[in-house]
Amino acid sequence: MLRPDHCLRFRSPPAITGVPVPAPTFFPALSPIAGPRRQLRGALRPLRARPALLIVRASASMDAAVARAPEMAQREVARALAAEAEARLGPRLLPSAVPADVAEFRNGAGNAVGSLGVRRGAPGSSIDFMMQSSLHCKVPNGAIDITSILIFLNASTDAPHFLMELIQGSPTSIVVVLDLLPRKDLALHPEYLQKYYENTQLDKQRGKIYELPQTRPYLSPSLFVRSAVSPTAISVSIDCGQGGESALEEIIRGQLAMVAKEVLQIWLDNCADSTTEMEETERMCLVKRDNTVRSKSIEVDLTANLPRMFDPDVSSRVIAEIRKAFGVQES
Amino acid sequence: MATLPAPCSRHHHHRWLSRPAGRLTRTYASLRASPSPTVGREAAVARMPRLAHRDVMLSLAREAEARLGARLLPSEVPANVAAFSDDEGRALGSVDVRRGAPGSSIDFMLEAWFHRALPGGGAIDITALIVFLNGATDAPHFLMEFIQGGPSSLVVLLDLFPRKDLPLHPDYIDTYYAATGVDAHRRDVHRIPQVRPYVSSSLLVRTLWSPTAVVVDVQCGEEGGEAKLEEIVRGQLTTSAAAVLDVWLERCAGSVVQMEAAERESLVARDKMITTMDVDLNLSANLPKMFSADVSRRVVAEISKAFVGS
């Protein structure tokens, strides 16, 4: 849902040589990872307590042949959240059917690695799919790390979708988008607003993030994305300033993790299980709206980012898998 | 859409919106001689304490009127709504409504000017300029409002007010918000250091704004704040507001859009639903906090009548 243009300077994958890098790279310039080892998403992985997690290059895996995105607070928080969601949703999610070369992928130059997990909803459930993605890309002055979780519901319910996206361009700042995406015209449906946004006290959660002094509102460069989020959406950049690495980590593991967990709980309690009786025209409108939101989020978010970080064959393969999950027609 | 705060320290803003007529023709049977709106407005505002934001709004209102020209009919508002006072002059107001001429895309233009001196000193000053379009077009309405609760702080609302469910209509976003470049003006306002977003306590109000809306609180603090606010109002805010009004006049006010009958009906119905909800909940509830029950009733009735179109 985001284009992190505001804080990040994307280049086409830079050559590693000639760029002063404080630690040895751990992305060997090899062909795409073979085999489905070490899934980044999905099953719970033991968290490693590591003090300097935000200095990404210092946390290099000892196994240089397997490149994966570095451990970071944002990934741990996202992983815990995804695990919670998967545990609660249980058999309502089918096992992942993502091919191995999309489950984990990297670019040829060896400085970007990503993972994608898609689990479709089981027949009869309200879940359309759950998608998790994690991207890591070295850039001349650091790295970009993007982690996202998106749980889309289908047309058997009108309840909001769940979205969390974390974009980190430096060890001291992060952009957070966390929202229950509305699926109806809120102006015309005050009862929907009441049921999912007022009664659930979502705004209190929003307040806990916005009251942090290091936050300021983040407005997506995409007008479409701005329109799609709810009135209680958390959309902020958290900037701890120079030397603020541990302050940011504390916020991510602390207040942010807590609020994200609360919002997910609210979603699991009020949305994940729901079914809604709808007139046919109402359902058609809902589906159309969902399709538009999904295609615009793909278009905005991934079409811009993936080809910038990964080789054309890799990014088109990954995008194709995402489009398949979204059910978006190739244009 | 004046948001009328309760006269206490905590801002409790609601927007009031009025119900548009939705009809393209007007009957003139009820036309009665009334003071020309400019005389009513100018005279009424002249009685209020001088405020930079009122000066700005005066120039914007004059600009809007001049550019809309014959597309606006003369005012039919009675004299005691065009200018009114209460509580021995401690509350002053002026409301004017000019309906759109037959064949134009304008439904009405509403101005509201309120000044309320508070018992403990200080005052609340609210000024609004709203131009609603009708079913001949789907273009956004124009909305601008200043809410000043003290000499050094000001809430500013400025928007091309959307008339469609935006996520369902990405082309609408492209046409009226992307292609017009109107977000640049929002960015300009947000560059002012004393500006921060104004977040309504009403979730519904939050949903109604466009993605490029200026919805801000300008806080200039105690030390030299009054002068600083005036500088900002006469400077960047004037520039940005004039620019947004210009975009609206150029790209929305004169537009005519072909629509299927069902589409037009749903557009007009959506307009009605929003304004009805807000005028019932907010205008009727909040105007009496500034003015006596009698005055409020008269003013609300005139506005509602104009907007219902009967």
Side-chain angles (χ1 to χ4, degrees):
Chain A
M1 299 284 282
L2 300 175
R3 282 196 321 234
D5 301 341
H6 72 296
C7 63
L8 307 170
R9 292 186 296 281
F10 274 109
R11 307 268 184 268
S12 31
I16 300 296
T17 54
V19 174
V21 170
T25 83
F26 57 98
F27 299 132
L30 298 172
S31 52
I33 301 167
R37 307 151 61 180
R38 314 266 184 109
Q39 304 292 333
L40 283 178
R41 46 87 200 127
L44 276 166
R45 301 177 71 240
L47 302 181
R48 275 171 257 189
R50 199 182 288 273
L53 280 172
L54 292 169
I55 318 288
V56 301
R57 286 171 284 291
S59 66
S61 158
M62 291 304 106
D63 182 358
V66 177
R68 61 173 193 272
E71 282 302 320
M72 289 175 78
Q74 66 156 256
R75 292 205 168 82
E76 294 182 14
V77 168
R79 209 158 40 224
L81 218 65
E84 172 69 24
E86 287 179 311
R88 275 283 293 270
L89 295 173
R92 281 173 286 168
L93 288 174
L94 300 175
S96 170
V98 163
D101 63 357
V102 171
E104 310 220 359
F105 52 93
R106 25 198 301 264
N107 75 347
N111 67 327
V113 68
S115 70
L116 180 74
V118 179
R119 295 182 66 179
R120 306 303 309 248
S125 85
S126 307
I127 314 288
D128 189 354
F129 62 83
M130 175 168 165
M131 179 181 303
Q132 302 172 56
S133 69
S134 186
L135 304 176
H136 169 82
C137 178
K138 278 232 236 323
V139 291
N141 55 335
I144 296 157
D145 291 275
I146 305 173
T147 308
S148 69
I149 298 174
L150 181 59
I151 312 179
F152 251 68
L153 299 175
N154 61 29
S156 63
T157 176
D158 66 4
H161 308 302
F162 176 85
L163 169 73
M164 182 176 80
E165 193 151 349
L166 307 172
I167 298 187
Q168 196 161 352
S170 82
T172 56
S173 73
I174 191 170
V175 169
V176 177
V177 176
L178 176 60
D179 195 27
L180 302 199
L181 296 172
R183 298 169 73 198
K184 290 190 113 151
D185 184 355
L186 294 175
L188 288 184
H189 299 281
E191 75 290 344
Y192 186 94
L193 186 64
Q194 178 124 40
K195 177 176 180 185
Y196 293 113
Y197 297 96
E198 284 169 4
N199 296 349
T200 53
Q201 312 222 324
L202 269 171
D203 210 41
K204 273 213 182 80
Q205 303 303 326
R206 195 190 71 87
K208 290 180 195 166
I209 298 296
Y210 279 73
E211 75 192 7
L212 296 171
Q214 302 92 336
T215 68
R216 49 174 202 277
Y218 169 78
L219 241 59
S220 172
S222 157
L223 302 186
F224 180 83
V225 169
R226 284 185 214 173
S227 309
V229 294
S230 83
T232 59
I234 291 166
S235 180
V236 294
S237 78
I238 306 177
D239 192 343
C240 294
Q242 203 163 29
E245 287 90 344
S246 55
L248 183 67
E249 183 165 350
E250 205 176 300
I251 290 172
I252 292 174
R253 289 187 198 286
Q255 200 76 334
L256 178 61
M258 188 182 72
V259 167
K261 189 171 193 289
E262 286 290 331
V263 172
L264 177 67
Q265 278 306 120
I266 290 170
W267 183 83
L268 287 166
D269 291 341
N270 294 277
C271 307
D273 280 327
S274 75
T275 54
T276 317
E277 290 297 319
M278 276 183 265
E279 307 245 347
E280 193 48 38
T281 42
E282 219 183 318
R283 172 168 289 117
M284 275 167 52
C285 185
L286 186 96
V287 168
K288 181 172 179 218
R289 205 174 186 280
D290 277 345
N291 287 344
T292 313
V293 169
R294 282 189 308 228
S295 69
K296 284 294 185 177
S297 74
I298 296 173
E299 180 190 329
V300 171
D301 197 19
L302 297 167
T303 324
N305 281 346
L306 281 173
R308 289 173 173 177
M309 294 167 115
F310 298 93
D311 309 320
D313 60 327
V314 172
S315 64
S316 52
R317 196 165 68 226
V318 174
I319 289 173
E321 197 64 35
I322 292 168
R323 282 183 196 267
K324 202 167 76 181
F326 281 20
V328 172
Q329 300 299 332
E330 297 289 327
S331 56
Chain B
M1 291 53 166
T3 67
L4 302 174
C8 60
S9 57
R10 189 161 188 285
H11 285 168
H12 188 59
H13 300 290
H14 297 277
R15 283 185 27 252
W16 52 262
L17 297 164
S18 302
R19 198 193 316 212
R23 294 195 316 216
L24 300 182
T25 56
R26 303 274 182 273
T27 61
Y28 293 84
S30 62
L31 189 66
R32 48 187 183 279
S34 58
S36 88
T38 42
V39 169
R41 170 214 296 148
E42 307 281 345
V45 171
R47 291 183 308 159
M48 299 179 189
R50 190 85 193 276
L51 259 191
H53 93 228
R54 272 196 277 267
D55 291 346
V56 173
M57 196 63 99
L58 278 173
S59 68
L60 292 172
R62 288 174 195 140
E63 172 72 10
E65 264 183 344
R67 297 268 294 268
L68 295 173
R71 284 177 281 172
L72 287 176
L73 298 176
S75 170
E76 295 176 1
V77 154
N80 64 359
V81 170
F84 52 93
S85 72
D86 215 352
D87 192 16
E88 295 159 0
R90 284 187 282 271
L92 298 168
S94 168
V95 168
D96 201 6
V97 178
R98 293 182 66 183
R99 301 186 194 180
S104 83
S105 300
I106 311 292
D107 194 354
F108 61 83
M109 175 165 138
L110 160 73
E111 315 168 27
W113 311 76
F114 300 128
H115 166 76
R116 211 317 166 198
L118 297 173
I124 294 175
D125 293 274
I126 300 175
T127 314
L129 176 65
I130 294 155
V131 191
F132 252 57
L133 300 177
N134 61 28
T137 177
D138 64 2
H141 307 304
F142 177 81
L143 181 157
M144 179 159 184
E145 192 165 338
F146 289 120
I147 304 155
Q148 190 156 355
S152 61
S153 71
L154 179 69
V155 170
V156 180
L157 313 175
L158 174 63
D159 198 20
L160 302 192
F161 199 75
R163 298 169 72 197
K164 287 196 160 183
D165 179 20
L166 295 179
L168 197 56
H169 302 281
D171 292 346
Y172 190 90
I173 297 176
D174 285 335
T175 302
Y176 294 114
Y177 300 102
T180 56
V182 74
D183 201 43
H185 307 304
R186 187 199 59 81
R187 284 198 300 273
D188 287 343
V189 170
H190 276 272
R191 268 188 217 113
I192 304 167
Q194 294 83 355
V195 160
R196 54 171 199 250
Y198 172 71
V199 181
S200 175
S201 56
S202 157
L203 299 191
L204 176 63
V205 167
R206 293 184 209 173
T207 69
L208 300 178
W209 300 117
S210 85
T212 61
V214 171
V215 183
V216 298
D217 192 359
V218 187
Q219 292 276 346
C220 295
E222 299 285 328
E223 296 283 320
E226 200 169 332
K228 186 67 193 164
L229 181 66
E230 175 143 358
E231 186 190 316
I232 290 170
V233 169
R234 292 192 192 283
Q236 188 61 60
L237 285 181
T238 298
T239 306
S240 298
V244 173
L245 176 63
D246 190 60
V247 168
W248 183 81
L249 287 165
E250 283 290 305
R251 311 289 278 263
C252 306
S255 81
V256 171
V257 172
Q258 292 300 325
M259 277 182 268
E260 308 247 344
E263 204 187 329
R264 171 171 296 115
E265 268 165 39
S266 107
L267 185 94
V268 169
R270 191 174 185 279
D271 279 342
K272 272 191 165 60
M273 186 160 169
I274 291 170
T275 57
T276 305
M277 204 165 14
D278 265 22
V279 75
D280 288 347
L281 290 176
N282 297 316
L283 176 57
S284 307
N286 290 321
L287 202 55
K289 293 174 183 171
M290 294 182 87
F291 300 92
S292 69
D294 281 345
V295 171
S296 303
R297 207 176 305 124
R298 187 169 79 228
V299 172
V300 170
E302 192 63 34
I303 291 171
S304 302
K305 183 180 75 180
F307 294 170
V308 167
S310 55

